[in-house]
Amino acid sequence: MTHAFSIRPTKAKTVQTTAFWIMRGMTYTIVVLATLIFGTIFWKGGSTVFQTSYPFVNTSFILDRPETLHVATSEGKKLQMGDKEWRAYGEKNPDAVIEDHKTYVYSAGGIFPCIVGTVLLVLGSMTIALILGVMSAVYLSEYSKHGLFIEWVRISIANLAGVPSIVFGLFGYGIFVIFFGWNVSLLSGWFTLAFMVLPVIITSSEEAMRAVPQGFREGSLALGATKWQTIVGNVLPYALPGILTSSVLSISRVAGETAPIMFTAAYVVRDELPWEVNKFSDFFFQGVQALPYHIYVVSSKIPQNEYTARVQWGGAFVFLVVVLAIAMTSMVLRSKMRKKYRW
Amino acid sequence: MSITLEKSANQTKKEAAMSTSSLINPSMESMMSETKPKPIIEIDNVDFYYGASKALHGISLNIEPKKVTAFIGPSGCGKSTLLRCINRMNDLVDVARVGAGQFRISGVDIYHPSVDVIELRKRVGMVFQKSNPFPKSIYENIVYGLRIQGVSDKKVLDEVVEKSLRGAALWEEVKDRLHDSALGLSGGQMQRICIARAIAVEPEIILMDEPCSALDPIATAKVEELIHELKNKFTIVIVTHNMQQAGRCSDQTAFFYLGKLIEMDNTEKIFTNPKQQQTEDYITGRFG
Ligand SMILES: Nc1ncnc2c1ncn2[C@@H]1O[C@H](COP(=O)(O)OP(=O)(O)OP(=O)(O)O)[C@@H](O)[C@H]1O
Ligand SMILES: [Mg+2]
């Protein structure tokens, strides 16, 4: 049936349909790619991290230190064990005939020191970045007057955001490791990572503070509050959820970047755990192992073979879970604050 | 109300025509100044600028204590600007400055470098056009001013909360939900929270910038009633676009136009017998 409004194909409609399907296709491609990436990591990493028997999680992979894998044959039996176990075996069977003995570095044991190191790096650098960033944001949004100088500051911050992370790594190496003499240490890594995410934190904190209605400031000032009291009591608390939102992204970045910590904080391997220090101040001046760096090392710095895959995928899997956990924590924190201060 | 206004407008036209020649005689003027109490706010020939543009031109007027003074005039004529000068809220605007003249409160020039703005604002409270309760509990809203002064004694705070809320005619409505968020209240209640918050710090003067512009007639009536009550204790300056409101609740009315004070007098006089043609035209709704 035809009438005044019956459907007629026109060129405009064809163009629209085509464009729509191209965009839809792109979006689906991205979803497929993301699924592939995560799927592979979860599938391959999962086989390292989980096991079929109780307690279903491979606790030794999570809670042990990396070890060298020994592979050998003894009296027709194939042996495949970590360093500690290997030595115990040797002591128990001193007369065993060992043939085809091969060792594979870092391929046995777990990644516990890397998890600990990454968590420490994230906590420390985010604390520093948030303190510095929020203070700068408060100054920029509440105190600064418009002018050439402030424009210049803003341009610097924007440019800082575009600096590649390896440059931050070299900068940190030059300043903190060499010039300040902090050596390869947590402290050097914290500051290097903090500087890397500072521009993002400053910019988004400032935005979050500007989003707080001017009426709250005026209302507070009109009651005889100082500017400082107003900011602390009546602006910052309402801006915190927004600040935390942006810091979630920064957390992933801090946890994930390898380049900035390569020269400043990360060790390839270290026997002591971070809390095994002689005195408290040593804590800040020790290098740590970190997940992204460990993954980098086991995937490209050691000879690849069928035994290295276990740690690579397992490490990637645990890494994703750790980042997810930290991000989730701050999201829960944020929604709690949102509930408290809603306008 | 509009009918009576129109009638009075016709009346005033004739009267104005008659009285233009006979200026007030000197003896009468001296008599009036004797009966007038000493003003609490004196605005003395003030010029005010936003950057290069002049927003106020040589404003001079006096505001008497324990009276309600209304500022009226068309949009953009500088009512808010003048009001915000009185507690120096314009300090927040980077480009704003007083170019000439003085604001005196109880005889003190409030723009003198020796004046502490914080002390000034404690004594000159403000209620804003857009009600701005803080996203905290009702209780915390009321005690905000005291907390920043360092008062933390719970007994004192509790007392102030009850007194201020009663003062703002809100106690009965909210006494059971003092610890709920103030943002869960109705628009009229929120505006009264802001008034209660302002009176909690016991100022001498309360400035109100169109406090009822976002309220319905019932809430407006409540706030107006409240203003009537409050004038026993406070000096009130109120900006309004609502002629009836100015007529109902103020003692004195000042009419502004394009940054100039056209006329200020007793409210009754302004509404029934204004001296200036512009005032009459505005009040009768011929422009503005
Ligand atoms: N922050 C500012 N910066 C620059 N100019 C301003 C600023 N605030 C007000 N003005 C200008 O000053 C003049 C007076 O404004 P003001 O807000 O005092 O008017 P008003 O009488 O309160 O108007 P309304 O009844 O619409 O509230 C206007 O021309 C306005 O554009
Ligand atoms: Mg205004």
Side-chain angles (χ1 to χ4, degrees), chain A residues 144-146 213-227 229-230 233-234 237-238 340-343, chain B residues 84 87 89 92 94 118 121-122 124-126 128 132-136 141 144-145 147-149 181 183 197-198 201:
Chain A
S144 71
K145 293 219 157 81
H146 295 287
Q214 186 67 11
F216 295 164
R217 296 184 182 85
E218 292 188 339
S220 169
L221 291 169
L223 288 168
T226 62
K227 205 162 184 179
Q229 283 171 324
T230 302
N234 226 1
Y238 315 141
K340 200 166 155 213
Y341 301 112
R342 192 192 288 276
W343 74 80
Chain B
R84 290 163 60 91
N87 68 345
M89 278 317 258
L92 302 192
D94 280 350
I118 306 299
R121 292 196 187 128
K122 274 183 208 160
V124 186
M126 188 159 203
F128 298 84
N132 56 353
F134 305 138
K136 303 173 188 272
N141 262 279
Y144 186 86
R147 280 211 197 280
I148 56 178
Q149 289 175 30
S181 169
L183 300 189
R197 189 173 74 185
V201 292

Side-chain angles (χ1 to χ4, degrees), chain B residues 155-222:
Chain B
K155 246 185 35 216
V156 177
L157 295 179
D158 286 349
E159 263 167 38
V160 169
V161 167
E162 180 168 351
K163 201 172 118 208
S164 310
L165 285 174
R166 280 192 194 283
L170 200 58
W171 175 251
E172 293 302 327
E173 290 165 59
V174 301
K175 65 179 177 196
D176 300 323
R177 47 197 284 210
L178 289 179
H179 296 282
D180 293 357
S181 169
L183 300 189
L185 297 171
S186 74
Q189 287 172 326
M190 283 201 236
Q191 194 58 293
R192 278 179 289 152
I193 285 281
C194 294
I195 295 174
R197 189 173 74 185
I199 62 182
V201 292
E202 304 199 317
E204 289 161 44
I205 301 163
I206 300 179
L207 310 173
M208 299 185 177
D209 194 350
E210 302 184 45
C212 303
S213 65
L215 304 185
D216 67 49
I218 294 170
T220 301
K222 280 194 177 161

